[in-house]
Amino acid sequence: MSEILNANPTIRNASDLPSRRPDSTIPTSSSGASQRYPPLGLFASTIPASAYLPDPFATATPSSPTSSISEEDSAPEPIDAQEIYDLIAPIADPEHPLTLGSLSVVNLPDIFLEPLSPGSPLTVLTVLITPTITHCSLATVIGLGVRVRLEQALPPRFRVDVRIKEGTHSTAEQVNRQLGDKERVAAALENGTLMGVLRKMLQGAEGGETAL
Amino acid sequence: MTDVQRFLLSINSDNQKAHSIAKETAQGIRILTPSAAITLTCEALQNKEKSLIDVVESLGEYINDEDNANRARTIEYLSQVIGSLPPAFLSRQQIQVLCQFLCDRIEDGGSIGGLKKLHAMERYNGEMATMTFRALLAHFQDLQLRSQAQRLQVYDLLNAMMSSHRRALRSLGEEAIVGITDLVANEKDPRNLMVVFSVLKVVMVEWDISAHAETLFDSVFCYFPITFRPQPDDPYGITAHDLKARLRACIAASGRFAPYAFPQLLDKLDSTSPNVKKDVLQTLTACATSYSLTTVSNYSVTLWDSIKFEILNVQEEDLAEEALKVLQAIANRLGQGLQSTDLKTPLATYLRPITKECNEQLQEPQHKQAKPVGQILSAIGIASPVAFYLIIRSVLPPLSTLYQGADSIAKQRALLEVLVQLLDSAIAVYGSPSIPAPKTSIDNPLTPFKDRLFELNSQALMSTAIEEVSFRVVALRALLRLCLLQNYLQENEIGMVVQYLDDIALSEGPVGRDDLRKEAIQALVQISRIKSHLIMNITFPAFLARLPDSSPPNHRDFLITLEGLAQISVDNFVADTLVRRLLNRLDVVLANDGSPAYPQAMLATIHYVLTRRNLEADPNLQTYFEKIVIALVTRVAKAASGQAPVTALNEEATLEILGRLTTLIIRALGTHKQSSVALQCYSLFTEEGSFSPAPFHEHVPGPCRSLMIVSTAVLAGLPATVQLEYAETDGASLESLLAELVRLALAEESLAVRQAILRQIGLLMNKFMSSTEISAATTTLYKLIAGIAETTTPMENAVRAVYWMSKALILRTVQIDEVLSRLLNLLTSSTSGASSARGFGLLLAPDEILSKDNGATIRLLAKQKVFNICTPRIAQGFRATDSATVKANYLIALSGILKYMPTEVIMQEVDKLLPLLLQSIDLEDSDVKAATIQTLTVISLESPAAVETHVGSLVSRLLKASSNLAVNGASVRLNALVCLRGFPGRVKDTTLLPHRNNVIRSLMAVLDDPKRNVRKEAVECRAAWFNMDEPQSD
């Protein structure tokens, strides 16, 4: 890997990378608590939610023993494409001190989540990766890195499929076959040197967003 | 017996020969210490009892002794005698004789020391220095074999002669230069090298070294790069940095070294060690700064060619930085005193290949070289106005053309980024209104491009698609710098920029990343520092126009406007105007009905602005007091008692914010004013009889009772010394006021009002009551506690009152043992035990009202005392009881105390606490569980060894706490994962390994947690356990 294949990749600025939008939902006026203590944004630093909270006795009242639990757990947040993106974007490129996100190797629109069958919890996740140049020999390693990260970070009900985006690589088919072959992936992970490279990638790039 | 005999005798008490001398001489002669012998001799010399000849002659027998050691000691004796004489005592001839003698005897130990002492004599002259120097040179091979300390003596002598008789040595010319390099050759000890380098530096800087430049250079460069590492307990205090600095000064000492230094340094730049490279670059900077202009000019282009790779293909950030410093140092050197922009100067010659290369790199601006190119241009541009002029002249026109022809926004952005860097150096060279730069005769080369730059950046900022955040951010930065650059943009142009910034700050809602808006606000803040009138005339009207006159029913856009206003109001005048305008607007808004959120936000804005001012010194303090405290507070009081319409101000939440403002302003008032406020702390500035405050009145309606929130805020802002309303007459009335407040607190149903009253009780007992008054108050407290213990009906409010009163006492450490022991007894109560247990969480919790800022007495030792009193009793009580509920109460109380305890305090008792904490993870209460896990996290981070024996049960409990959604709230699950993640790498691997598979398997399910932040933590926790057996990378 001494020879750098693509010495001059195009880099995306951190503030252009997709990120989760701040929760902009306005609490409805009917829910008493949130109306009494409005989200004050900037002023939250000078004004705590209320001087009269927290009351350590508040939860002791038998009327609402589990209120805090039910409230904070009320809205489940399903795993979405952005979350997948946040998992794989900070992976470091094997030859640059940059993240796959900032090199546009992984892109939010190229992440697809689909239930295996309607209503089934089983989900098929497809991630298309775009090598920086069409003859990048490291595409397999990058794909492997993405795959390993997702397999470690996602619950087993996800079927992970990592492939090269169509038309972006000269030997895409071959790479896809390698990435899709469970036994070959397992064999690759037995390889000490390769595992070392992958571990470095998964630790994230310096200067990237708060790497995992 | 002569003194020299005594000296030898005493120094050599184990030496046979010396003993025999002693026997031969008459008995009864005192055996003296060596220093006493010296003193004796010196006194004799000074009293003229002895002559110097006598002394020297007395040495005769020993000075030719066959034993080296004895000879050395004899010389040592002589040296010490010389050293103890007054500097003017010896005549020139005497010194001459002694010097000659010692030089002849230079092989003998001790003579170097003697020469050093002679050198300190007043009549020591250059001739003797020359003699000494030659003697040293004649024996340099012998001297080099000596021990480190003796070599150091030689160098010290040389150094001393160099500083006092430099001319004499210098006149030796070649002989001295070669001699010195021979003398110091092969030296390896860092202590000695420190002296050697400073001697050599004198030679290099001051002497004519033309014939021996290479010899001299080699004599120091052989030490480069310095890899010395001091021992951990280095007793000499010499660091690698000291050595590097001295060596660097030598290499940079003379331009004659350039032909050797530059090629050899550049050779070493190929090293793989970052430390060596850094050393090379720093040395190059030193050389470029000190060598002559012509010398540096000869090598400037070579240097650029070799160094640029460090910047353009940046491997390590700090190496690139050092390389930039070299380039800058060269530009500085070449531009010194230069006032001509002629293209034939050395500076222009140096810059030509640089700008050429940069222009070439910029052809592909989106590549990663664009950033370093900007850094290079900016670093060199800062060097001098001429350098900046030359760079702009050759870089800006092509940059502008490239920008014009760029086919993608990514390219344009990269080009603008370079422009921003150039503008930064422009500001450094030509100054800004706040930081003026030295005057220069070189016109700002950017002037001809003014319109172009302004237009291009305006377009980029305002006419680009909203999604291109980073591009617009860069354009905004460029525009801001154009505004800040001294004597550049016209007032009306800056005004236009302000308008753009207003538009962005106002119209860009919180869509996606907020970067652009934040930048715009920050830019307005910067402009308000230099042109506050533009902010007043343009930004204020624009922002205020966006504020509605009544509360909008379904959106909170006003928050964005208010936040913007609050942030840009840093200037005093601007801030004052904002407060006045907001107060006027508040009047209008309150007249219209609507949600209280808007008036609350307006008050919050005022609060934000006022907290950032020094109110004590503010000339407008009186106005704020009248317009905010008196006017608004009377208004709510009147409304509450039915004399005015009730508005959003009377909402409890609004009263809280008004209360905070009140505290803030009253705190800043003078003592006189504060005393008069104190007398109205309950009647709240209303006319007598028009408003009935809650204390000492029957059947006060709810709206009036809620004004206790404001009263609490007033009391919080007052100093302890004032007389309060209802307590004017004497101390006893504070007691009756307390009783009245307790009565109110027990009856109050509104949570916020009750909390306000409880805090008032706290303030009374902690701040206002004197130490004599407090004892009566404790009686009240004990009665209440006894009442709770006796009854069988739950007394929730009484428990609250008890804990607030206790908190006040504990913080000022009054009767702390007694209070705590009564509280601990409550834990066993079947009716109030549970709520009492939660009360412990209140005792040490930080509080906004009962705070140091508000003059509360908070003793430093309070926490430690509570810990020392409670933990043993809780542990004991826990063991003693069989009731599961009571056990739980003890654990809840413990968790409440530990939550606010400093880690070091917890660590003292960690072994006793751990078993209790483990059991309290099993409690059902989510809050307690979360707090306990947090404490455990801290413990396991601080002292992994402490948890080692409990790892098994800890891991299984934490895994349980991280799953089971029905019982565990999201914060419990999250905390459990954070705690679990801390183990690998801290706790011994061998202890963890048996649990590894279990953890990894169990966490698989947590990866599917409904909450995103829990999942994220689970991923990281799992990764930490996965990678446990791998070597930790640094």
Side-chain angles (χ1 to χ4, degrees):
Chain A
M1 219 168 300
S2 54
E3 192 69 9
I4 288 183
L5 286 165
N6 182 4
N8 254 335
T10 307
I11 304 157
R12 288 171 80 190
N13 193 294
S15 58
D16 289 338
L17 299 184
S19 70
R20 195 170 295 286
R21 301 190 166 193
D23 199 359
S24 55
T25 49
I26 299 166
T28 49
S29 52
S30 61
S31 80
S34 49
Q35 196 207 359
R36 264 172 47 100
Y37 309 113
L40 285 172
L42 172 71
F43 310 122
S45 60
T46 48
I47 304 212
S50 166
Y52 304 115
L53 287 174
D55 177 17
F57 302 104
T59 42
T61 45
S63 59
S64 59
T66 54
S67 66
S68 65
I69 293 179
S70 56
E71 204 173 297
E72 63 185 347
D73 284 28
S74 57
E77 301 156 330
I79 297 175
D80 58 10
Q82 178 70 49
E83 185 164 337
I84 306 290
Y85 181 81
D86 290 342
L87 284 171
I88 55 179
I91 299 177
D93 183 273
E95 58 177 20
H96 300 288
L98 296 164
T99 64
L100 295 187
S102 64
L103 289 168
S104 297
V105 174
V106 294
N107 298 290
L108 189 57
D110 292 339
I111 296 172
F112 306 94
L113 282 161
E114 251 177 274
L116 196 60
S117 55
S120 157
L122 293 178
T123 308
V124 177
L125 163 64
T126 313
V127 177
L128 301 182
I129 59 177
T130 314
T132 49
I133 42 172
T134 53
H135 51 277
C136 181
S137 68
L138 290 167
T140 329
V141 179
I142 293 176
L144 205 55
V146 171
R147 201 191 162 97
V148 169
R149 159 56 50 87
L150 290 175
E151 275 173 3
Q152 286 182 355
L154 289 176
R157 65 184 173 85
F158 281 79
R159 301 281 174 269
V160 178
D161 189 10
V162 178
R163 30 182 61 249
I164 306 288
K165 193 170 178 174
E166 222 170 291
T168 62
H169 199 266
S170 46
T171 57
E173 215 168 302
Q174 194 187 336
V175 176
N176 285 343
R177 219 174 310 132
Q178 274 183 321
L179 288 175
D181 187 334
K182 273 199 178 152
E183 279 177 27
R184 281 167 85 172
V185 169
L189 297 186
E190 297 287 309
N191 180 331
T193 346
L194 187 56
M195 229 15 231
V197 175
L198 287 180
R199 188 166 298 119
K200 242 182 140 179
M201 286 168 64
L202 297 185
Q203 273 170 1
E206 42 182 315
E209 288 181 288
T210 45
L212 287 175
Chain B
M1 179 166 167
T2 61
D3 293 333
V4 64
Q5 283 173 320
R6 291 188 185 132
F7 176 83
L8 290 172
L9 183 61
S10 53
I11 209 165
N12 267 340
S13 50
D14 59 344
N15 183 296
Q16 283 300 317
K17 179 133 189 161
H19 274 291
S20 65
I21 295 171
K23 272 178 205 156
E24 280 163 26
T25 47
Q27 291 207 334
I29 289 190
R30 287 168 301 149
I31 294 182
L32 301 165
T33 60
S35 62
I38 302 284
T39 323
L40 218 59
T41 314
C42 286
E43 275 170 10
L45 276 172
Q46 276 168 281
N47 300 338
K48 309 245 174 349
E49 288 166 19
K50 269 184 191 172
S51 69
L52 192 65
I53 313 266
D54 296 338
V55 176
V56 177
E57 275 179 354
S58 74
L59 302 178
E61 183 185 342
Y62 310 101
I63 202 112
N64 293 321
D65 199 291
E66 280 164 19
D67 183 356
N68 281 342
N70 269 354
R71 282 209 312 276
R73 286 198 193 93
T74 313
I75 303 248
E76 171 76 26
Y77 164 75
L78 183 60
S79 312
Q80 291 201 25
V81 170
I82 297 170
S84 311
L85 290 170
F89 184 79
L90 294 176
S91 71
R92 203 181 62 77
Q93 285 86 351
Q94 284 173 321
I95 299 177
Q96 175 91 39
V97 170
L98 285 171
C99 187
Q100 183 71 56
F101 175 72
L102 289 172
C103 283
D104 291 346
R105 293 292 189 131
I106 207 152
E107 310 95 327
D108 287 336
S111 42
I112 299 288
L115 285 166
K116 178 93 190 291
K117 300 243 160 65
L118 265 187
H119 167 264
M121 291 290 154
E122 260 179 26
R123 297 190 181 85
Y124 186 89
N125 63 18
E127 204 178 310
M128 301 164 192
T130 312
M131 185 190 343
T132 313
F133 181 65
R134 286 199 164 126
L136 288 178
L137 295 191
H139 294 90
F140 77 90
Q141 274 148 335
D142 167 54
L143 295 175
Q144 279 174 357
L145 296 176
R146 293 195 179 178
S147 72
Q148 179 271 330
Q150 286 176 323
R151 292 201 311 272
L152 183 59
Q153 249 186 343
V154 174
Y155 302 136
D156 273 338
L157 174 61
L158 184 61
N159 193 23
M161 291 194 298
M162 279 297 263
S163 48
S164 55
H165 297 92
R166 196 172 295 173
R167 198 180 307 164
L169 298 187
R170 185 179 176 173
S171 62
L172 297 179
E174 187 170 330
E175 181 191 355
I177 296 176
V178 177
I180 291 177
T181 48
D182 284 345
L183 187 61
V184 301
N186 302 325
E187 181 54 60
K188 285 203 174 60
D189 189 276
R191 287 161 287 179
N192 296 358
L193 281 175
M194 291 293 280
V195 186
V196 167
F197 287 154
S198 64
V199 170
L200 285 174
K201 190 186 163 197
V202 173
V203 176
M204 293 163 168
V205 172
E206 298 187 6
W207 297 8
D208 174 17
I209 57 164
S210 45
H212 301 279
E214 187 167 6
T215 322
L216 269 174
F217 178 76
D218 288 344
S219 75
V220 288
F221 198 74
C222 60
Y223 298 105
F224 192 91
I226 287 195
T227 50
F228 161 71
R229 239 177 222 216
Q231 292 151 4
D233 52 341
D234 176 35
Y236 315 108
I238 295 172
T239 63
H241 180 262
D242 297 334
L243 273 175
K244 281 181 184 172
R246 289 217 175 166
L247 174 59
R248 195 170 299 146
C250 285
I251 298 174
S254 165
R256 292 188 187 279
F257 293 156
Y260 320 106
F262 284 136
Q264 296 198 40
L265 282 170
L266 291 179
D267 258 2
K268 298 230 192 260
L269 199 55
D270 294 336
S271 159
T272 47
S273 149
N275 271 335
V276 172
K277 294 179 100 164
K278 193 170 168 186
D279 205 1
V280 168
L281 291 168
Q282 286 177 341
T283 310
L284 284 174
T285 305
C287 293
T289 313
S290 96
Y291 290 176
S292 74
L293 195 148
T294 336
T295 314
V296 175
S297 173
N298 285 341
Y299 292 91
S300 63
V301 177
T302 320
L303 285 170
W304 154 251
D305 277 333
S306 319
I307 291 172
K308 65 182 177 192
F309 294 104
E310 299 299 327
I311 309 168
L312 291 174
N313 299 320
V314 53
Q315 294 296 325
E316 294 202 30
E317 230 25 91
D318 60 333
L319 284 183
E321 244 165 67
E322 292 297 340
L324 284 171
K325 281 186 198 158
V326 180
L327 295 183
Q328 194 175 35
I330 299 173
N332 265 327
R333 187 73 195 87
L334 299 180
Q336 227 162 46
L338 187 69
Q339 292 296 334
S340 147
T341 53
D342 190 87
L343 293 177
K344 292 203 180 68
T345 60
L347 180 62
T349 319
Y350 167 58
L351 292 181
R352 203 168 303 126
I354 298 182
T355 47
K356 182 161 172 278
E357 169 98 33
C358 289
N359 279 334
E360 277 166 21
Q361 294 285 359
L362 286 179
Q363 297 293 326
E364 294 294 342
Q366 75 280 30
H367 286 168
K368 63 176 181 179
Q369 269 82 0
K371 191 177 158 213
V373 162
Q375 287 172 329
I376 293 172
L377 294 174
S378 166
I380 300 178
I382 290 173
S384 68
V386 178
F388 183 69
Y389 183 93
L390 292 171
I391 284 183
I392 292 297
R393 278 274 297 275
S394 44
V395 172
L396 199 54
L399 187 88
S400 169
T401 320
L402 279 172
Y403 184 86
Q404 203 79 45
D407 52 8
S408 75
I409 287 199
K411 283 186 185 174
Q412 290 184 326
R413 191 195 75 210
L415 292 169
L416 281 193
E417 270 170 0
V418 174
L419 177 67
V420 167
Q421 285 167 310
L422 287 174
L423 291 176
D424 274 335
S425 38
I427 291 176
V429 170
Y430 291 97
S432 70
S434 44
I435 312 162
K439 274 215 163 70
T440 164
S441 61
I442 311 290
D443 288 336
N444 189 341
L446 290 172
T447 312
F449 299 98
K450 190 184 88 174
D451 293 339
R452 173 88 188 102
L453 289 179
F454 183 70
E455 183 196 2
L456 170 159
N457 284 300
S458 302
Q459 258 179 18
L461 179 61
M462 301 311 287
S463 317
T464 317
I466 294 179
E467 301 82 63
E468 297 294 343
V469 179
S470 68
F471 178 56
R472 301 180 68 201
V473 165
V474 180
L476 190 154
R477 287 181 187 156
L479 275 177
L480 171 66
R481 280 157 180 76
L482 292 178
C483 292
L484 294 179
L485 184 56
Q486 183 84 326
N487 300 328
Y488 197 62
L489 288 191
Q490 303 289 325
E491 187 96 354
N492 63 333
E493 288 162 328
I494 300 183
M496 280 172 76
V497 176
V498 171
Q499 269 175 25
Y500 298 155
L501 296 174
D502 290 351
D503 285 353
I504 291 167
L506 288 172
S507 61
E508 312 277 325
V511 176
R513 285 175 188 259
D514 234 2
D515 294 6
L516 187 61
R517 220 175 74 78
K518 280 184 199 140
E519 290 270 345
I521 298 270
Q522 284 317 309
L524 283 171
V525 168
Q526 290 214 39
I527 295 179
S528 85
R529 291 215 170 89
I530 55 167
K531 303 264 177 212
S532 64
H533 61 278
L534 290 178
I535 301 295
M536 298 289 300
N537 300 339
I538 301 172
T539 308
F540 260 56
F543 273 60
L544 289 173
R546 301 259 311 190
L547 286 179
D549 282 342
S550 62
S551 294
N554 51 12
H555 67 92
R556 289 177 188 273
D557 293 352
F558 57 82
L559 265 184
I560 294 168
T561 315
L562 286 173
E563 278 181 16
L565 279 169
Q567 283 171 303
I568 57 173
S569 302
V570 282
D571 179 81
N572 274 353
F573 183 59
V574 177
D576 184 50
T577 316
L578 175 64
V579 172
R580 286 165 199 269
R581 301 247 171 110
L582 280 182
L583 284 173
N584 292 342
R585 186 62 67 96
L586 183 64
D587 268 344
V588 180
V589 174
L590 290 176
N592 303 321
D593 281 348
S595 131
Y598 181 36
Q600 281 166 11
M602 294 176 94
L603 287 175
T605 311
I606 298 178
H607 184 263
Y608 180 90
V609 172
L610 292 188
T611 46
R612 271 151 188 71
R613 311 277 302 274
N614 178 13
L615 274 180
E616 267 101 349
D618 199 308
N620 298 310
L621 178 63
Q622 186 57 33
T623 327
Y624 297 151
F625 175 64
E626 277 160 21
K627 290 211 167 178
I628 298 173
V629 177
I630 300 210
L632 292 183
V633 169
T634 345
R635 182 172 179 158
V636 287
K638 278 188 179 161
S641 51
Q643 300 159 48
V646 172
T647 62
L649 272 186
N650 285 70
E651 296 259 340
E652 283 169 2
T654 324
L655 287 177
E656 283 180 22
I657 302 177
L658 179 60
R660 288 194 183 95
L661 268 169
T662 309
T663 308
L664 192 68
I665 293 171
I666 289 180
R667 241 173 17 205
L669 290 175
T671 34
H672 184 68
K673 199 96 199 170
Q674 283 172 333
S675 314
S676 69
V677 170
L679 296 176
Q680 303 181 73
C681 59
Y682 290 106
S683 52
L684 297 174
F685 318 109
T686 51
E687 283 162 36
E688 219 175 317
S690 66
F691 167 72
S692 351
F696 302 109
H697 288 84
E698 294 293 323
H699 309 296
V700 178
C704 289
R705 290 206 312 274
S706 66
L707 285 186
M708 287 300 271
I709 295 175
V710 179
S711 292
T712 305
V714 173
L715 290 178
L718 289 171
T721 48
V722 293
Q723 289 261 302
L724 301 181
E725 189 177 12
Y726 297 125
E728 299 99 328
T729 45
D730 55 59
S733 14
L734 265 185
E735 202 190 316
S736 61
L737 179 57
L738 177 70
E740 178 63 12
L741 289 177
V742 171
R743 181 186 73 84
L744 291 171
L746 296 186
E748 185 55 56
E749 278 160 12
S750 151
L751 173 68
V753 178
R754 183 174 56 218
Q755 292 283 34
I757 299 172
L758 290 171
R759 278 181 164 79
Q760 255 184 59
I761 294 174
L763 282 171
L764 228 50
M765 291 182 60
N766 183 281
K767 181 159 88 168
F768 292 106
M769 286 190 159
S770 66
S771 39
T772 43
E773 288 158 342
I774 202 74
S775 57
T778 47
T779 327
T780 321
L781 170 63
Y782 295 155
K783 264 189 214 152
L784 263 179
I785 296 180
I788 294 170
E790 281 159 18
T791 59
T792 47
T793 46
M795 296 177 71
E796 196 74 22
N797 279 0
V799 174
R800 290 172 205 257
V802 161
Y803 277 88
W804 269 101
M805 295 169 88
S806 308
K807 179 185 174 81
L809 292 175
I810 287 168
L811 289 181
R812 65 191 278 189
T813 57
V814 169
Q815 303 207 9
I816 190 164
D817 288 271
E818 184 66 27
V819 173
L820 282 173
S821 87
R822 286 178 197 237
L823 293 183
L824 286 166
N825 288 338
L826 281 183
L827 292 179
T828 50
S829 151
S830 55
T831 45
S832 303
S835 48
S836 297
R838 296 193 142 266
F840 275 84
L842 174 78
L843 295 178
L844 297 175
D847 191 74
E848 193 196 338
I849 300 280
L850 205 59
S851 68
K852 271 228 141 67
D853 285 345
N854 288 338
T857 318
I858 299 176
R859 299 245 175 264
L860 285 175
L861 276 176
K863 287 186 175 179
Q864 171 91 53
K865 278 197 169 172
V866 170
F867 182 83
N868 289 347
I869 296 167
C870 290
T871 38
R873 288 207 44 190
I874 288 176
Q876 191 192 2
F878 182 83
R879 276 195 304 274
T881 181
D882 291 328
S883 147
T885 9
V886 177
K887 271 186 191 287
N889 289 347
Y890 277 117
L891 294 177
I892 293 171
L894 180 67
S895 128
I897 292 172
L898 295 186
K899 201 167 171 185
Y900 304 105
M901 201 55 67
T903 318
E904 19 343 329
V905 178
I906 298 183
M907 285 303 158
Q908 294 163 1
E909 296 287 334
V910 69
D911 293 331
K912 284 187 198 150
L913 290 174
L914 266 175
L916 292 176
L917 290 173
L918 282 175
Q919 304 207 41
S920 71
I921 309 185
D922 296 337
L923 293 180
E924 281 209 351
D925 189 303
S926 211
D927 290 348
V928 173
K929 209 186 285 194
T932 304
I933 296 176
Q934 231 156 30
T935 310
L936 281 169
T937 310
V938 172
I939 292 178
S940 56
L941 291 185
E942 283 286 314
S943 105
V947 294
E948 219 143 76
T949 42
H950 301 278
V951 159
S953 52
L954 202 46
V955 166
S956 64
R957 282 179 162 98
L958 288 173
L959 286 176
K960 230 163 84 191
S962 69
S963 49
N964 205 350
L965 305 184
V967 191
N968 301 312
S971 62
V972 173
R973 306 198 302 269
L974 187 69
N975 283 350
L977 291 171
V978 171
C979 188
L980 205 51
R981 176 156 72 113
F983 291 173
R986 291 199 180 78
V987 181
K988 265 195 293 207
D989 279 1
T990 42
T991 325
L992 294 183
L993 274 173
H995 308 286
R996 180 164 176 248
N997 287 339
N998 184 20
V999 171
I1000 292 174
R1001 202 175 41 245
S1002 310
L1003 288 185
M1004 182 109 75
V1006 188
L1007 293 175
D1008 217 358
D1009 194 280
K1011 283 291 173 186
R1012 191 166 288 126
N1013 56 355
V1014 177
R1015 288 199 295 268
K1016 187 162 185 275
E1017 190 56 43
V1019 169
E1020 290 179 26
C1021 182
R1022 207 156 169 258
W1025 283 78
F1026 246 126
N1027 296 331
M1028 200 175 76
D1029 52 344
E1030 308 304 337
Q1032 293 286 319
S1033 66
D1034 43 340

